[in-house]
Amino acid sequence: MMRRSVCLIITLLHFGMAPVLAQTLEECQQAAEQNYPLIQQYGLIEKTTALTVKNIQKGWLPQVSAQAQATYQSDVTAWPDQMKTMMTGMGIGMKGLTKDQYRVGIDVSQTIYDGGAISSQKRIAREQGKVQAAQNEVNIYNVRKRVNEMYFALLMLDEQIKLNRDLQEQLSGNERKLASMVKGGTAAESDWQNMKAERLNVVQQGTNLESQKRMLQSMLSTFCGLEIKAVQKPVPSVAALQQQTVQRPELKALDAQLNLYDAQEKALDAALMPKLGLFAQGFYGYPGLNMFEDMMRHDWSLNGIIGARLTWNIGALYTRRTDKAKLNVQRSLSNVQRETFLFNNNLEQMQQNENIARYKKLMADDEEIITLRQAVRKAAESKLSHGIIDVNDLVREINAENAARVQQSMHEIEMLKEMYELMFTRNNDKTTQQ
């Protein structure tokens, strides 16, 4: 017989009929975050930032440009008439430059010192990427709140279904007792029918609860990207509840925005610095650099120039003061947003702490209320057996006891929910599970 039992257990395990493992709240939160479409945006932001920085870095590479031009001038450089007459008398032909001129060439420039402009642009690009990533983190963080709502709603339904089944068992027991009393002639058949009708009414309530649970399980499963078969009651971390520090991603997003303003301000300083570079120009055309030779012969020639160039654009001074003032205003706006967020966050914490304290006080009386209701219900069952009260009085006491048990469960789940909402408000919801 013992061997058969062992074989049966092994068979049930092999075919997946083992007890259902419940998903923890932390597992659901992590799965939902990984399943949420916005999670893919992290990689896209990182790639975009890397490509932008790579393109900016190419500012240190030699810059090559090709050009071709054809012009017709109203006048050109020419010899003075006396010198031209003298050279003609000496047998030297002096045609002079033609008014149509042509040039095809290449310009090459290499930056040696840019005053930190390229470095500032790269920093701005990186900080912009951090701002986008931080804002994306804010959106993904809010997924936890939606998971918490569905998870604790499922816990509440589980408790209600459990109490509904207990109530059905209790009514069934009294229904059987009344059936015996009807047979013995100590109770009317209408009493038994009344108890049965009440039991069927509770069965219908259970059917509705089961339907709501299946719907919510389906929603949470879709949200998390995995099948949620059962949930378990979480145990909040005492250390997390006592921690007062607010670590919300909204604050990180504001910090990233402030860092971006700092990078943009340094770029204003870099714009004022002189730029030093090398350059080379080569062209084939007419006229060339030897103008005297080109006055005598109208032939195309190869020409080249190489040198260094120092430029200093002081135009940035015109808008520097306004640009810095604009950045200071934007910093002030970000600081106001931070203060506003922390103010509202503190109000939320005050309300949640008050709700937790309220539920603790309510729960302190729940157990005594249940004990009293249970004693009254048992006394009513005894009175019904002796014909002192009717079935309606017993049903009322049974329902009152069940309502007290439901109220106790609601208070417990609501208190747990408030605790996790408090940890969500601070972003310190590191949990341990039962």
Side-chain angles (χ1 to χ4, degrees):
M1 184 68 182
M2 183 68 178
R3 190 175 297 173
R4 264 188 206 172
S5 299
V6 173
C7 291
L8 178 60
I9 292 172
I10 294 174
T11 303
L12 291 174
L13 291 172
H14 177 73
F15 287 99
M17 297 178 66
V20 177
L21 295 177
Q23 270 82 24
T24 65
L25 177 58
E26 189 174 13
E27 288 172 347
C28 289
Q29 288 177 343
Q30 292 174 353
E33 289 179 1
Q34 294 299 319
N35 186 56
Y36 204 60
L38 276 179
I39 196 70
Q40 302 173 14
Q41 196 163 317
Y42 278 124
L44 297 176
I45 292 172
E46 186 177 348
K47 288 180 181 178
T48 302
T49 302
L51 291 173
T52 302
V53 171
K54 188 175 181 180
N55 283 338
I56 295 172
Q57 181 66 27
K58 290 179 180 178
W60 288 110
L61 296 177
Q63 306 299 308
V64 181
S65 62
Q67 59 179 353
Q69 71 176 38
T71 62
Y72 183 85
Q73 301 179 192
S74 61
D75 203 356
V76 293
T77 304
W79 292 103
D81 291 340
Q82 292 179 349
M83 188 175 288
K84 186 175 182 180
T85 301
M86 181 182 65
M87 287 185 175
T88 301
M90 295 172 61
I92 301 174
M94 189 58 61
K95 299 178 181 180
L97 295 177
T98 62
K99 291 185 177 182
D100 54 320
Q101 299 182 4
Y102 308 91
R103 175 179 294 191
V104 177
I106 294 176
D107 292 346
V108 179
S109 62
Q110 171 65 57
T111 301
I112 297 176
Y113 174 73
D114 69 344
I118 292 177
S119 177
S120 296
Q121 291 173 14
K122 290 195 295 184
R123 185 183 175 190
I124 289 174
R126 292 192 182 101
E127 294 300 333
Q128 286 174 336
K130 290 178 182 178
V131 169
Q132 292 175 353
Q135 290 173 344
N136 194 54
E137 185 180 351
V138 171
N139 295 329
I140 292 179
Y141 182 74
N142 289 325
V143 169
R144 295 190 193 181
K145 188 173 184 66
R146 297 172 67 181
V147 171
N148 288 355
E149 290 173 354
M150 289 186 280
Y151 194 93
F152 284 104
L154 268 177
L155 282 176
M156 185 72 73
L157 284 172
D158 282 342
E159 289 295 324
Q160 289 177 340
I161 289 171
K162 177 180 176 296
L163 292 173
N164 179 273
R165 289 171 181 166
D166 292 343
L167 181 58
Q168 289 182 40
E169 288 292 328
Q170 200 171 78
L171 291 171
S172 294
N174 281 283
E175 185 182 340
R176 289 191 296 271
K177 186 185 296 184
L178 282 169
S180 299
M181 292 173 66
V182 170
K183 289 181 181 179
T186 56
E189 187 174 358
S190 60
D191 293 336
W192 171 78
Q193 291 172 340
N194 191 359
M195 184 64 71
K196 183 177 181 180
E198 186 63 27
R199 180 182 62 81
L200 292 175
N201 184 48
V202 173
V203 169
Q204 286 184 337
Q205 294 174 7
T207 301
N208 288 329
L209 291 172
E210 292 284 356
S211 177
Q212 293 176 33
K213 179 182 176 180
R214 286 193 298 271
M215 178 187 67
L216 201 54
Q217 274 182 324
S218 177
M219 290 175 61
L220 186 57
S221 297
T222 302
F223 205 76
C224 296
L226 54 86
E227 186 177 0
I228 306 296
K229 295 182 179 179
V231 293
Q232 67 182 49
K233 194 179 297 182
V235 178
S237 168
V238 177
L241 287 171
Q242 293 175 346
Q243 182 179 343
Q244 300 296 320
T245 307
V246 178
Q247 302 174 357
R248 287 286 291 268
E250 290 88 346
L251 298 178
K252 294 180 181 178
L254 289 171
D255 288 338
Q257 191 68 54
L258 290 172
N259 291 335
L260 176 59
Y261 297 149
D262 292 341
Q264 290 172 338
E265 185 170 5
K266 289 187 177 181
L268 294 178
D269 297 334
L272 288 176
M273 300 300 291
K275 310 294 188 293
L276 177 64
L278 300 175
F279 71 92
Q281 297 176 346
F283 68 90
Y284 178 68
Y286 172 85
L289 298 177
N290 190 343
M291 192 171 294
F292 292 107
E293 185 72 23
D294 292 333
M295 284 183 176
M296 293 185 291
R297 288 186 295 272
H298 296 169
D299 296 333
W300 287 34
S301 61
L302 287 172
N303 303 269
I305 302 175
I306 187 170
R309 182 185 290 119
L310 179 66
T311 59
W312 193 357
N313 182 9
I314 62 172
L317 282 172
Y318 304 150
T319 59
R320 174 180 173 80
R321 190 171 182 178
T322 305
D323 290 338
K324 292 196 73 170
K326 187 189 298 183
L327 288 174
N328 288 331
V329 170
Q330 290 173 334
R331 284 194 187 95
S332 298
L333 286 173
S334 295
N335 288 326
V336 169
Q337 290 174 358
R338 175 189 292 275
E339 292 175 6
T340 303
F341 177 82
L342 290 174
F343 180 81
N344 291 330
N345 187 276
N346 186 53
L347 289 179
E348 285 185 43
Q349 291 186 51
M350 291 173 59
Q351 182 178 1
Q352 289 158 354
N353 280 317
E354 180 59 33
N355 287 337
I356 292 171
R358 176 166 58 88
Y359 285 124
K360 283 182 178 179
K361 290 180 181 178
L362 292 173
M363 289 176 63
D365 297 328
D366 281 336
E367 194 63 43
E368 184 177 359
I369 292 172
I370 290 173
T371 301
L372 294 172
R373 288 295 183 188
Q374 187 178 29
V376 172
R377 185 259 307 168
K378 288 181 178 179
E381 288 176 341
S382 177
K383 289 178 181 179
L384 179 67
S385 300
H386 294 84
I388 300 175
I389 62 172
D390 59 18
V391 172
N392 289 327
D393 293 330
L394 175 59
V395 169
R396 184 175 61 252
E397 298 305 335
I398 291 174
N399 287 332
E401 180 188 354
N402 179 72
R405 294 184 184 278
V406 170
Q407 190 174 50
Q408 182 189 43
S409 297
M410 288 180 64
H411 289 161
E412 182 183 5
I413 301 299
E414 288 292 344
M415 185 183 70
L416 281 175
K417 184 181 178 184
E418 287 291 337
M419 287 178 174
Y420 278 92
E421 285 184 354
L422 176 62
M423 290 188 287
F424 173 86
T425 302
R426 297 171 179 164
N427 190 22
N428 56 4
D429 52 342
K430 303 300 181 185
T431 60
T432 56
Q433 306 289 340
Q434 284 181 337

